Amino acid sequence: MTIPVSCEFFPPRTDKGMEKLKQIHDKLKQALNPEYFSVTFGAGGSTQEKTFETVNHIQQAGSEAAPHLSCIASTKDNIRELLQNYKDSGISRIVALRGDKPSGWLGSIGEFSYANELVTFIREETGDHFHLEVAAYPEFHPQSKSAATEFKYFQQKVEAGANAAITQYFYNVDSYFQFMDECQKRGIDIPVVPGIMPISNFEQLVRFSDTCGADIPRWLRWKLDGFQDDGDSLQEFAADFIAQMCERLIQGGAPSLHFYTLNKANLTLNIARNIGLTQ
């Protein structure tokens, strides 16, 4: 089974963490040969410098890097400078997001309120230089008022110039296919790539999911919680479950897979091996 993949990192905060990430990058590159590695942009731009540093390391290591840019706390001048820096560094792909406010944030939201405004600005400033990825929410963004509102916002991002989308992670495959059916009805034909989240820690997963609105099916919660402190068994079960999920997505026409690596190689590789993606 073959399908293109991409991988996501978050920028390390220390030199030691950066050295470790280089090793993780090399391992994933050798085993999966991803199309690109995306690098997150902390809430309110809090990791901006580390994002830029991480992106440059990835590019210098011979991989394509895709930095995240977010609206929250960003100004046009700030984004304009980042776009120029990324162009100068040979970056040709960007993930454009609304982003989250940092905990306790009291500052200005910035000059962009929504991701479609950021996409529009990037197109105005740089034309077609960047391949722009945006976010999609098969189970809907926690701040959305309705499914209709969610699709309106998604369509605005597409019309503003998005080339493709990456979904929030999910564990109910039908939610992805229902989302794609709705896209088809609305004439949205850009690639929508499923975001795949490995599972390594049940409590951490619950916190993530409660924050971002990703549903953990009741049966899966009970199963994962039943492993208690047996982390190895939990990860073995989770890798097999998510691999089966990926197989259904591939068979159903998903254009590629985007792995949220959590800056760990083996979590992603265990899933990839189960579906025959490793080289």
Side-chain angles (χ1 to χ4, degrees):
M1 184 177 294
T2 60
I3 188 172
V5 302
S6 53
C7 296
E8 182 170 299
F9 293 144
F10 57 84
R13 296 185 179 274
T14 65
D15 291 341
K16 184 177 180 180
M18 184 64 74
E19 289 303 315
K20 183 178 180 181
L21 188 65
K22 291 179 184 178
Q23 296 173 12
I24 294 167
H25 163 267
D26 291 347
K27 192 171 183 179
L28 289 170
K29 180 182 179 182
Q30 182 177 1
L32 296 177
N33 191 29
E35 284 191 305
Y36 65 93
F37 290 86
S38 69
V39 182
T40 64
F41 189 80
S46 57
T47 63
Q48 179 176 306
E49 291 184 5
K50 290 296 184 181
T51 297
F52 188 75
E53 181 183 348
T54 306
V55 163
N56 280 331
H57 279 305
I58 291 170
Q59 288 281 116
Q60 292 165 9
S63 296
E64 183 173 2
H68 289 207
L69 285 181
S70 68
C71 296
I72 300 298
S74 293
T75 66
K76 291 183 178 180
D77 286 344
N78 164 240
I79 294 295
R80 187 179 290 116
E81 181 181 358
L82 281 171
L83 292 173
Q84 188 60 54
N85 288 340
Y86 285 136
K87 285 182 69 175
D88 292 344
S89 298
I91 302 298
S92 59
R93 187 186 295 261
I94 283 175
V95 182
L97 307 167
R98 178 178 179 270
D100 300 316
K101 294 181 182 180
S103 179
W105 178 262
L106 298 175
S108 168
I109 194 172
E111 293 186 59
F112 304 98
S113 298
Y114 300 102
N116 68 292
E117 297 173 4
L118 179 59
V119 172
T120 296
F121 181 76
I122 294 172
R123 288 292 179 231
E124 290 172 348
E125 291 291 314
T126 64
D128 293 330
H129 176 80
F130 292 106
H131 183 286
L132 296 182
E133 312 270 354
V134 295
Y137 296 89
E139 295 175 328
F140 310 114
H141 192 282
Q143 295 178 5
S144 289
K145 296 179 181 179
S146 67
T149 300
E150 180 68 37
F151 272 101
K152 181 186 77 172
Y153 289 146
F154 182 62
Q155 190 150 13
Q156 287 175 346
K157 290 187 284 189
V158 175
E159 292 171 350
N163 298 107
I166 303 168
T167 76
Q168 175 63 269
Y169 70 88
F170 53 86
Y171 297 110
N172 181 351
V173 175
D174 288 337
S175 65
Y176 173 80
F177 292 131
Q178 289 169 0
F179 186 88
M180 296 309 301
D181 286 345
E182 190 65 28
C183 285
Q184 186 175 22
K185 291 177 185 176
R186 293 168 178 260
I188 298 173
D189 59 1
I190 65 170
V192 178
V193 179
I196 307 301
M197 176 69 82
I199 300 172
S200 63
N201 180 286
F202 175 66
E203 288 78 15
Q204 183 184 60
L205 178 68
V206 170
R207 288 197 302 272
F208 281 174
S209 300
D210 287 348
T211 299
C212 70
D215 181 55
I216 306 174
R218 185 173 176 83
W219 75 266
L220 183 58
R221 280 182 179 256
W222 280 101
K223 183 70 174 180
L224 295 174
D225 191 37
F227 287 106
Q228 298 296 325
D229 296 326
D230 189 354
D232 290 341
S233 294
L234 181 149
Q235 291 182 28
E236 182 180 355
F237 163 80
D240 184 59
F241 162 70
I242 295 173
Q244 293 178 42
M245 190 177 78
C246 290
E247 288 175 341
R248 279 194 62 197
L249 290 166
I250 295 168
Q251 292 165 3
S256 59
L257 301 174
H258 184 77
F259 288 99
Y260 297 109
T261 69
L262 304 175
N263 284 16
K264 298 176 182 179
N266 287 339
L267 290 176
T268 294
L269 291 178
N270 289 342
I271 298 168
R273 290 190 190 98
N274 285 353
I275 50 178
L277 293 182
T278 52
Q279 298 184 352

